[in-house]
Structure formats: C-alpha cells, structure tokens
Amino acid sequence: MARVVVDVMLKPEILDPQGQAVQRALPRLGFAGISDVRQGKRFELEVEGPVDDAALARIREAAETFLANTVIEDFTVRIEEPAEGQQ
C-alpha cells in the first residue's frame, strides 16, 4: 500500500487571516525572525495497488474537484516514500 499526499494552499494573492494570526503570535511566544506564515491542508491517501500514472491522474482529479477549491487554492500531489525502517 502506498501513500499519496495532497497539499492544498491558498493562492499567493489570497489573504490568509489564519496565517497572519499565527505570524503575529510567534514573536510573543519567543519565536522571532519569521516574516510570513501561510496555512494549508494536507491530505494523506492510502492507495491500494501500484501508484501509476492512472492512479495519480485519479487523485489529481479528486484534488481538483473535491479536496481543493481551485478558485482560491493551489494543490500539489506527491507520492510519500516510507520512512527508513518502515514499509
């Protein structure tokens, strides 16, 4: 079984009030030097069988039609390799 990750982020031109709130709070909590924060979503999909071009195309279609609002969000799809020692 393979894991495919879909990361969804607001497009750069879209205001991110949650990211801004986190960015303003960080210095007060002792985390200085961070100039910008953008918040997003991460979806981890466990895929049965091989993750071939057809499987990735279906996942991209799901991301485009269901996981992301493509008017205001961008997304990336990638296969996540298992951590060393995990299979």
Side-chain angles (χ1 to χ4, degrees):
M1 192 169 292
R3 176 177 291 162
V4 176
V5 175
V6 179
D7 289 310
V8 180
M9 296 292 294
L10 287 171
K11 292 182 177 183
E13 63 271 16
I14 302 297
L15 182 66
D16 183 357
Q18 289 177 309
Q20 289 176 339
V22 170
Q23 190 274 326
R24 287 191 304 270
L26 287 171
R28 292 193 306 265
L29 298 171
F31 300 100
I34 298 173
S35 62
D36 191 31
V37 175
R38 305 282 292 172
Q39 181 177 328
K41 299 178 279 190
R42 173 185 165 113
F43 296 92
E44 295 181 356
L45 305 151
E46 298 293 332
V47 179
E48 296 176 0
V51 181
D52 55 13
D53 289 342
L56 286 174
R58 283 184 317 192
I59 291 168
R60 282 189 186 94
E61 182 180 3
E64 188 169 358
T65 59
F66 180 65
L67 301 178
N69 176 350
T70 57
V71 173
I72 62 170
E73 295 173 318
D74 291 325
F75 66 89
T76 60
V77 176
R78 63 184 167 82
I79 300 169
E80 184 170 84
E81 300 298 327
E84 195 169 316
Q86 294 180 346
Q87 297 256 342

